Amino acid sequence: QQQVKQSPQSLIVQKGGISIINCAYENTAFDYFPWYQQFPGKGPALLIAIRPDVSEKKEGRFTISFNKSAKQFSLHIMDSQPGDSATYFCAAQATGNQFYFGTGTSLTVIP
Amino acid sequence: DTEVTQTPKHLVMGMTNKKSLKCEQHMGHRAMYWYKQKAKKPPELMFVYSYEKLSINESVPSRFSPECPNSSLLNLHLHALQPEDSALYLCASSPSPIRTYEQYFGPGTRLTVT
């Protein structure tokens, strides 16, 4: 059973456009929702994380939006650049060390 | 130093070989993790060490044997692997076991079992 559902599986965006990746969950015990970025041949790197008592968090061109009632959260990448081309994973953590990745989104930003 | 290092970068081994993967961090983190990642899939958790004690073992076959010699080092001993064990093996560390989301990943070891 997939604890965190992620969509789309792949995404192609023009340079300068907005990339949007969505995730959904059911377990209300989750208390941290991070996003990771992974380039080919590298390990994932933490991009940004949000707690469920915050509706939005921004770091540079990356924004997480969180909708607690809908149990959904999303990553927006503003002014997308070719260097943003990577695989993005959402994740969720519950107290007691339960940690789940989403299925991943392969983002390609075309010049 | 916010780096997790892993050696070797690549490893090719036969099904009868014994080899070890190594991971090191000097961030003072007290939780360390082994993950297995297949192509186009998310990392799958294998083991968690919390304060140098094995705290989670996600039903991993006994041909994988973790070891945590001290708070900075994590090893994964491999024996009698199968071709389906070929994958990217990632090590990660986090400040504490309740802050898994802050984990730093190493670059991984690309393992091929022939």
Side-chain angles (χ1 to χ4, degrees):
Chain A
Q1 183 191 0
Q2 188 66 38
Q3 294 278 342
V4 183
K5 296 190 169 94
Q6 183 171 347
S7 63
Q9 189 174 348
S10 62
L11 181 60
I12 299 175
V13 171
Q14 289 276 126
K15 179 183 172 182
I18 303 174
S19 304
I20 302 174
I21 304 170
N22 301 300
C23 287
Y25 65 97
E26 286 297 326
N27 187 348
T28 54
F30 289 143
D31 55 9
Y32 276 100
F33 298 87
W35 285 89
Y36 295 87
Q37 177 189 57
Q38 185 176 22
F39 293 106
K42 304 285 187 187
L46 177 65
L47 259 183
I48 187 172
I50 198 167
R51 289 183 59 100
D53 52 353
V54 176
S55 60
E56 186 176 280
K57 184 173 180 181
K58 190 177 289 191
E59 284 191 12
R61 295 183 294 108
F62 299 90
T63 300
I64 300 180
S65 297
F66 192 88
N67 185 330
K68 190 173 180 178
S69 59
K71 297 183 194 161
Q72 294 174 349
F73 58 110
S74 58
L75 177 70
H76 292 63
I77 306 174
M78 312 302 286
D79 187 26
S80 299
Q81 300 295 314
D84 297 329
S85 298
T87 300
Y88 292 81
F89 293 100
C90 63
Q93 178 181 324
T95 319
N97 219 7
Q98 297 172 63
F99 185 88
Y100 303 95
F101 280 102
T103 47
T105 296
S106 176
L107 171 66
T108 302
V109 181
I110 49 178
Chain B
D1 181 8
T2 57
E3 194 181 19
V4 175
T5 58
Q6 288 188 245
T7 55
K9 286 197 69 161
H10 301 276
L11 178 63
V12 179
M13 61 186 288
M15 289 190 283
T16 57
N17 291 159
K18 283 187 186 180
K19 296 284 185 185
S20 297
L21 308 184
K22 296 186 186 302
C23 173
E24 191 166 6
Q25 58 89 12
H26 294 288
M27 294 177 278
H29 287 177
R30 302 315 302 268
M32 296 187 77
Y33 312 81
W34 279 115
Y35 289 87
K36 173 183 176 181
Q37 187 177 29
K38 291 281 210 180
K40 299 189 186 300
K41 297 288 187 187
E44 296 172 46
L45 184 64
M46 300 174 73
F47 303 104
V48 180
Y49 272 85
S50 172
Y51 297 92
E52 296 148 62
K53 288 187 168 44
L54 183 64
S55 64
I56 293 179
N57 174 348
E58 293 282 343
S59 302
V60 177
S62 60
R63 56 186 185 266
F64 295 92
S65 173
E67 179 197 18
C68 189
N70 60 55
S71 60
S72 301
L73 292 173
L74 188 64
N75 298 321
L76 186 63
H77 303 297
L78 314 173
H79 173 56
L81 294 193
Q82 304 296 309
E84 61 264 28
D85 296 322
S86 298
L88 182 68
Y89 287 83
L90 293 161
C91 172
S93 70
S94 67
S96 77
I98 63 170
R99 293 166 66 183
T100 304
Y101 73 97
E102 290 184 72
Q103 59 194 321
Y104 287 79
F105 284 86
T109 293
R110 174 72 59 190
L111 174 67
T112 303
V113 181
T114 60

Short mmCIF file of all heavy atoms in Angstrom, two decimals, chain A residues 11-17 19 79-85 107-111:
data_model
loop_
_atom_site.label_atom_id
_atom_site.label_comp_id
_atom_site.label_asym_id
_atom_site.label_seq_id
_atom_site.Cartn_x
_atom_site.Cartn_y
_atom_site.Cartn_z
N LEU A 11 7.24 14.98 -16.09
CA LEU A 11 6.77 16.33 -16.34
C LEU A 11 7.80 17.02 -17.24
O LEU A 11 9.01 16.96 -16.97
CB LEU A 11 6.65 17.07 -15.00
CG LEU A 11 6.16 18.49 -14.95
CD1 LEU A 11 4.75 18.59 -15.52
CD2 LEU A 11 6.18 18.99 -13.51
N ILE A 12 7.30 17.66 -18.30
CA ILE A 12 8.18 18.44 -19.18
C ILE A 12 7.68 19.88 -19.15
O ILE A 12 6.49 20.14 -19.38
CB ILE A 12 8.16 17.90 -20.61
CG1 ILE A 12 8.65 16.44 -20.63
CG2 ILE A 12 9.04 18.76 -21.53
CD1 ILE A 12 8.56 15.76 -21.98
N VAL A 13 8.60 20.80 -18.86
CA VAL A 13 8.24 22.21 -18.69
C VAL A 13 9.22 23.05 -19.50
O VAL A 13 10.41 22.71 -19.60
CB VAL A 13 8.30 22.59 -17.20
CG1 VAL A 13 8.15 24.08 -16.98
CG2 VAL A 13 7.23 21.84 -16.42
N GLN A 14 8.72 24.13 -20.08
CA GLN A 14 9.59 25.07 -20.78
C GLN A 14 10.40 25.88 -19.76
O GLN A 14 9.89 26.19 -18.66
CB GLN A 14 8.78 26.04 -21.62
CG GLN A 14 8.13 25.45 -22.85
CD GLN A 14 9.09 25.41 -24.03
OE1 GLN A 14 9.29 24.36 -24.61
NE2 GLN A 14 9.68 26.52 -24.37
N LYS A 15 11.59 26.25 -20.14
CA LYS A 15 12.41 27.14 -19.31
C LYS A 15 11.61 28.40 -18.99
O LYS A 15 10.98 29.00 -19.87
CB LYS A 15 13.69 27.52 -20.06
CG LYS A 15 14.60 28.47 -19.30
CD LYS A 15 15.82 28.84 -20.14
CE LYS A 15 16.60 29.94 -19.44
NZ LYS A 15 17.76 30.40 -20.21
N GLY A 16 11.64 28.77 -17.70
CA GLY A 16 10.91 29.94 -17.26
C GLY A 16 9.50 29.64 -16.77
O GLY A 16 8.85 30.50 -16.16
N GLY A 17 9.03 28.45 -17.04
CA GLY A 17 7.68 28.07 -16.63
C GLY A 17 7.62 27.61 -15.18
O GLY A 17 8.63 27.59 -14.47
N SER A 19 6.83 24.54 -12.60
CA SER A 19 6.68 23.09 -12.47
C SER A 19 5.87 22.81 -11.21
O SER A 19 6.16 23.38 -10.15
CB SER A 19 8.06 22.41 -12.36
OG SER A 19 8.89 22.74 -13.45
N ASP A 79 9.94 29.81 -12.32
CA ASP A 79 11.03 30.14 -13.25
C ASP A 79 11.94 28.92 -13.45
O ASP A 79 13.16 28.98 -13.25
CB ASP A 79 11.84 31.33 -12.70
CG ASP A 79 12.88 31.84 -13.67
OD1 ASP A 79 12.70 31.67 -14.90
OD2 ASP A 79 13.90 32.39 -13.21
N SER A 80 11.35 27.80 -13.82
CA SER A 80 12.10 26.54 -13.95
C SER A 80 13.27 26.70 -14.92
O SER A 80 13.15 27.35 -15.98
CB SER A 80 11.17 25.43 -14.43
OG SER A 80 10.12 25.21 -13.52
N GLN A 81 14.39 26.08 -14.55
CA GLN A 81 15.62 26.15 -15.34
C GLN A 81 16.06 24.74 -15.76
O GLN A 81 15.75 23.77 -15.06
CB GLN A 81 16.72 26.81 -14.51
CG GLN A 81 16.40 28.23 -14.08
CD GLN A 81 16.29 29.17 -15.26
OE1 GLN A 81 17.14 29.17 -16.17
NE2 GLN A 81 15.24 29.97 -15.27
N PRO A 82 16.82 24.63 -16.86
CA PRO A 82 17.31 23.30 -17.26
C PRO A 82 18.07 22.58 -16.14
O PRO A 82 18.01 21.35 -16.03
CB PRO A 82 18.22 23.62 -18.45
CG PRO A 82 17.61 24.86 -19.05
CD PRO A 82 17.12 25.67 -17.87
N GLY A 83 18.75 23.34 -15.28
CA GLY A 83 19.47 22.76 -14.16
C GLY A 83 18.56 22.16 -13.10
O GLY A 83 19.03 21.44 -12.21
N ASP A 84 17.26 22.42 -13.19
CA ASP A 84 16.29 21.83 -12.26
C ASP A 84 15.88 20.43 -12.71
O ASP A 84 15.16 19.74 -11.99
CB ASP A 84 15.03 22.70 -12.16
CG ASP A 84 15.31 24.08 -11.59
OD1 ASP A 84 16.24 24.22 -10.76
OD2 ASP A 84 14.59 25.02 -11.97
N SER A 85 16.29 20.04 -13.91
CA SER A 85 15.93 18.72 -14.44
C SER A 85 16.50 17.64 -13.52
O SER A 85 17.72 17.54 -13.34
CB SER A 85 16.45 18.54 -15.86
OG SER A 85 15.88 19.49 -16.73
N LEU A 107 11.43 15.32 -13.77
CA LEU A 107 11.20 16.65 -14.36
C LEU A 107 12.26 16.94 -15.41
O LEU A 107 13.46 16.80 -15.16
CB LEU A 107 11.26 17.73 -13.27
CG LEU A 107 11.25 19.18 -13.76
CD1 LEU A 107 9.93 19.51 -14.44
CD2 LEU A 107 11.52 20.15 -12.61
N THR A 108 11.80 17.35 -16.59
CA THR A 108 12.69 17.81 -17.65
C THR A 108 12.31 19.24 -17.98
O THR A 108 11.15 19.51 -18.30
CB THR A 108 12.57 16.94 -18.91
OG1 THR A 108 12.85 15.57 -18.57
CG2 THR A 108 13.55 17.40 -19.98
N VAL A 109 13.27 20.14 -17.91
CA VAL A 109 13.04 21.54 -18.28
C VAL A 109 13.77 21.78 -19.60
O VAL A 109 14.99 21.65 -19.68
CB VAL A 109 13.56 22.50 -17.20
CG1 VAL A 109 13.29 23.95 -17.61
CG2 VAL A 109 12.91 22.19 -15.86
N ILE A 110 13.01 22.11 -20.62
CA ILE A 110 13.61 22.27 -21.95
C ILE A 110 13.91 23.75 -22.20
O ILE A 110 13.10 24.62 -21.88
CB ILE A 110 12.72 21.67 -23.05
CG1 ILE A 110 11.27 22.13 -22.92
CG2 ILE A 110 12.78 20.17 -22.97
CD1 ILE A 110 10.39 21.59 -24.02
N PRO A 111 15.08 24.02 -22.79
CA PRO A 111 15.50 25.42 -23.00
C PRO A 111 14.60 26.17 -23.97
O PRO A 111 13.94 25.56 -24.81
CB PRO A 111 16.91 25.30 -23.58
CG PRO A 111 17.35 23.90 -23.27
CD PRO A 111 16.10 23.06 -23.20
#
